[in-house]
Amino acid sequence: MSSSLATELVEELNCETVFTIPVFGGIPVYESVVVTWIVMAVLILAAFILTRNLKTRNISKRQAVAELIYTKLTGMVESMLGEEGRRYTTYLVVVLLYIGLSNIIGLFGFKSPTKDLNVTAALAVMSILLVEFAGIYQKGIKKWLKSFTQPIAIVTPFNILDVFTRPLSLCMRLFGNVLGAFVIMELLKIVVPAVVPAVFCLYFDLFDGLLQAYVFVFLTSLYIKEAVE
């Protein structure tokens, strides 16, 4: 049983090469990249369908759904960012949609891109770069550098270290929770009847996947809010 679980876990962590681009000696395109393209295509197609022929009066049900989604998502993110960080709402809404869809795409037979540590690391680095850019944009270079010495100069090394530990925390939290959900589901399939894992699948693959997307965006919003206030 343990060897079977270990084998399946290795398979989940292994990101296979789908094809190779024949330039510069061959550029491998991994499974997580291809699934990310699929997620992007779904989001772009949904945005195109929902935003066609927009009206100011006598709107269609499709436009009403689009306005509801936009209002709810932007309102949720703006409430986390605060007044000074509102300009970063669009980016975080896109990240929320991407991670949310990536986490639940396993329900449709695809391997979630967030099971690839490279993907979660890239998302974390992008978010932290945005946090530092927000601080520089809001305070200027001098005040941004000075903020590392606050509240007292002796904590400067820890504040600098924090710049590197935050993306690591974001990366490992997202990756670990997605991977942990997979391990729990596999254990449930082994020790209990088939009906029980199906019920838990709704939680781990759907609710927990969306929850992890929210947590990632919430923490990034918190960091941005700290940087600009």
Side-chain angles (χ1 to χ4, degrees):
M1 181 177 70
S2 59
S3 60
S4 175
L5 178 60
T7 301
E8 292 187 20
L9 182 59
V10 170
E11 289 178 357
E12 283 295 310
L13 289 175
N14 183 34
C15 197
E16 298 179 359
T17 301
V18 179
F19 62 91
T20 302
I21 301 175
V23 293
F24 304 112
I27 301 176
V29 178
Y30 296 105
E31 188 177 5
S32 57
V33 176
V34 174
V35 179
T36 290
W37 290 344
I38 295 173
V39 172
M40 291 167 58
V42 170
L43 292 176
I44 292 171
L45 181 62
F48 175 75
I49 293 173
L50 291 174
T51 58
R52 284 189 308 124
N53 303 320
L54 297 180
K55 301 176 182 179
T56 56
R57 296 181 180 180
N58 300 320
I59 65 173
S60 63
K61 292 182 179 180
R62 171 176 49 79
Q63 182 174 339
V65 171
E67 291 182 359
L68 177 64
I69 294 173
Y70 175 82
T71 302
K72 293 296 183 181
L73 290 180
T74 55
M76 179 178 65
V77 174
E78 284 180 358
S79 66
M80 293 187 290
L81 283 170
E83 188 66 28
E84 296 294 338
R86 289 183 61 184
R87 60 172 59 87
Y88 309 106
T89 299
T90 302
Y91 168 79
L92 290 177
V93 168
V94 172
V95 170
L96 179 64
L97 290 172
Y98 168 73
I99 297 178
L101 185 54
S102 294
N103 286 346
I104 67 174
I105 203 169
L107 293 171
F108 304 97
F110 298 98
K111 183 184 289 185
S112 172
T114 47
K115 288 180 180 177
D116 184 355
L117 188 58
N118 294 315
V119 173
T120 58
L123 287 168
V125 170
M126 289 168 59
S127 292
I128 295 303
L129 287 176
L130 178 63
V131 170
E132 300 309 318
F133 168 80
I136 295 172
Y137 181 85
Q138 184 73 17
K139 303 173 182 176
I141 291 290
K142 290 184 178 180
K143 288 186 178 180
W144 175 72
L145 291 173
K146 187 177 180 180
S147 66
F148 286 101
T149 64
Q150 295 175 349
I152 54 177
I154 196 173
V155 300
T156 301
F158 299 101
N159 288 335
I160 295 174
L161 183 63
D162 198 38
V163 175
F164 300 96
T165 56
R166 281 180 172 182
L168 180 62
S169 172
L170 284 174
C171 167
M172 298 310 297
R173 179 181 282 107
L174 178 58
F175 175 75
N177 278 287
V178 172
L179 186 62
F182 166 77
V183 173
I184 292 174
M185 283 302 304
E186 291 304 314
L187 289 173
L188 286 173
K189 290 177 184 177
I190 294 172
V191 300
V192 295
V195 177
V196 177
V199 175
F200 279 92
C201 180
L202 293 176
Y203 173 80
F204 287 114
D205 288 345
L206 188 61
F207 176 75
D208 188 60
L210 298 177
L211 178 63
Q212 296 311 317
Y214 173 81
V215 170
F216 186 94
V217 170
F218 170 77
L219 291 174
T220 303
S221 302
L222 183 64
Y223 297 152
I224 292 175
K225 190 173 182 180
E226 290 178 354
V228 300
E229 289 187 348

